[in-house]
Amino acid sequence: MRLTAAAYRVPTDDPEGDGTLAWDATTMVLVRAEADGQTGLGWTYGPTAVAPVVTELFAPVVADLDPDDVPAAWTAMRRQLRNTGRPGVAGLALSAADCAVWDLKARRHGLPLARLLGTARHRVPVYGSGGFTTYDAERQHRQLAGWVHEQGIPRVKIKIGESGGSEVPHDLARMAAARRTIGADAELYVDANGGYQRKQAVRVMRAAADLDVRWYEEPVSSDDLPGLGLVRDQVLPDVAAGEYGFDLAYFHRMAPYVDCLQIDVTRCGGITEFLRAAAVAAAAGLEVSAHCAPHQHLAVVAATPNLRHLEWFHDHVRIESMFFDGVVPATGGAVAVPLDRPGNGLDLRATEADRYRVG
């Protein structure tokens, strides 16, 4: 089995930002796993430094393995990270490589990846995600209205916690504007990206009580587990976190403090570890929500019984639609899982992607 990796940097269509970070481009690192004339694809969103981890650390230790033995490949790659450190860049690399190996296995056997994993559902509920703090009122309105009134997505999320939580009146005004745009029937979600302090986060949601917010993501730093628990117990919306989880221990520690555990297949260790993390959540009586990278998640969330929904993240939907043939639309609040094509059902548009290649 041969592993290779390439990095692509794609400018955003508008400047994007949240409570604690701003950006004008997104980097995707794409891993190819090749054997017997078939190529599996896996990717993550992170720095170009992800690519050499795949080619220098992982490729040599999987070269002689049977491509069907995904657990053996995952274990060999994880062991290579002992002295490197698994969280961060190395964890992104492990995730993308594992997804590529799973996709390769499915393609070698002529199976849709979702069929190989086994399905709990054939349609995946999604929520529209964007509403960046860098958007003006008109841009936010157009995005949310498009999801709710044109695509029929009945749940949408905006970013709050602007400037590290120092612009609360503006946060509240944007939340109120979002509610006016989407109407009374759609669900309103908000994401502070850890921008607030504990009691500040509680005060913000109490001030927004008439807006019927249903989802409160990272009201405080995801490193502040007691703080997440404090906010969860004091507000009506479900408190969610977990997108920065790189291993099972992280999800085990966080589960007692949230209402819904977020998992990102492009960070947590790939499909192999996503399924384990979902089981950890189930053992705690929690549902899980898949974070970003929607087309990388489709097969694994179809196999996850305790799934709540998948984040239909504007930036990643746009890039995946540019880079791949076979992407699926979100219509009526759900996405159909590809069951008629081998692997994840995607084919790379190499010419289009190469325009953005940076490594």
Side-chain angles (χ1 to χ4, degrees), residues 152-169:
I153 299 176
R155 53 194 82 85
V156 295
K157 185 175 80 179
I158 68 167
K159 301 289 192 178
I160 58 172
E162 184 174 348
S163 301
S166 64
E167 302 288 341
V168 170

Side-chain angles (χ1 to χ4, degrees), residues 173-239:
R174 291 179 56 250
M175 293 162 67
R179 173 53 74 192
R180 289 193 297 272
T181 295
I182 67 177
D185 295 331
E187 295 183 12
L188 177 60
Y189 295 0
V190 297
D191 181 0
N193 285 98
Y196 296 137
Q197 300 300 305
R198 294 179 182 184
K199 289 187 178 180
Q200 180 189 27
V202 174
R203 291 193 296 270
V204 167
M205 203 46 58
R206 289 179 177 171
D210 61 339
L211 300 178
D212 189 24
V213 175
R214 300 293 182 88
W215 173 272
Y216 200 8
E217 186 173 330
E218 284 193 311
V220 298
S221 170
S222 55
D223 293 328
D224 181 11
L225 297 181
L228 286 170
L230 182 150
V231 177
R232 178 201 59 191
D233 292 341
Q234 295 293 321
V235 301
L236 287 179
D238 280 355
V239 167

Side-chain angles (χ1 to χ4, degrees), residues 94-315:
L94 176 63
S95 301
D98 181 74
C99 289
V101 175
W102 272 109
D103 190 43
L104 173 61
K105 179 174 181 176
R107 290 176 193 258
R108 289 179 72 238
H109 290 276
L111 289 171
L113 180 54
R115 289 293 190 201
L116 179 64
L117 297 172
T119 59
R121 62 185 55 78
H122 292 174
R123 288 181 61 81
V124 173
V126 301
Y127 68 89
S129 173
F132 302 106
T133 57
T134 46
Y135 283 179
D136 61 22
E138 176 57 26
R139 181 70 177 93
Q140 175 178 294
H141 170 76
R142 284 190 286 110
Q143 185 178 69
L144 300 183
W147 283 326
V148 174
H149 304 305
E150 296 175 17
Q151 296 184 51
I153 299 176
R155 53 194 82 85
V156 295
K157 185 175 80 179
I158 68 167
K159 301 289 192 178
I160 58 172
E162 184 174 348
S163 301
S166 64
E167 302 288 341
V168 170
H170 192 223
D171 290 339
L172 292 169
R174 291 179 56 250
M175 293 162 67
R179 173 53 74 192
R180 289 193 297 272
T181 295
I182 67 177
D185 295 331
E187 295 183 12
L188 177 60
Y189 295 0
V190 297
D191 181 0
N193 285 98
Y196 296 137
Q197 300 300 305
R198 294 179 182 184
K199 289 187 178 180
Q200 180 189 27
V202 174
R203 291 193 296 270
V204 167
M205 203 46 58
R206 289 179 177 171
D210 61 339
L211 300 178
D212 189 24
V213 175
R214 300 293 182 88
W215 173 272
Y216 200 8
E217 186 173 330
E218 284 193 311
V220 298
S221 170
S222 55
D223 293 328
D224 181 11
L225 297 181
L228 286 170
L230 182 150
V231 177
R232 178 201 59 191
D233 292 341
Q234 295 293 321
V235 301
L236 287 179
D238 280 355
V239 167
E243 66 188 67
Y244 301 112
F246 284 95
D247 55 40
L248 281 186
Y250 181 100
F251 298 105
H252 178 69
R253 290 192 300 268
M254 181 171 281
Y257 298 98
V258 295
D259 295 303
C260 187
L261 199 59
Q262 293 177 282
I263 314 174
D264 188 328
V265 76
T266 75
R267 292 176 178 171
C268 73
I271 292 170
T272 297
E273 199 81 323
F274 187 103
L275 293 170
R276 295 170 178 165
V280 167
L286 297 180
E287 292 179 316
V288 301
S289 178
H291 173 262
C292 291
H295 290 89
Q296 184 70 100
H297 275 102
L298 273 179
V300 70
V301 297
T304 304
N306 57 322
L307 177 78
R308 182 176 298 192
H309 43 42
L310 166 63
E311 182 171 11
W312 200 248
F313 183 58
H314 168 73
D315 197 21

Side-chain angles (χ1 to χ4, degrees), residues 306-357:
N306 57 322
L307 177 78
R308 182 176 298 192
H309 43 42
L310 166 63
E311 182 171 11
W312 200 248
F313 183 58
H314 168 73
D315 197 21
H316 296 175
V317 170
R318 175 174 167 265
I319 293 172
E320 290 164 13
S321 297
M322 292 166 58
F323 277 26
F324 300 112
D325 286 321
V327 296
V328 290
T331 304
V335 176
V337 180
L339 296 173
D340 59 349
R341 300 183 298 277
N344 57 30
L346 301 176
D347 294 307
L348 180 67
R349 295 173 175 168
T351 301
E352 176 68 19
D354 283 346
R355 295 172 49 204
Y356 301 97
R357 185 163 179 175

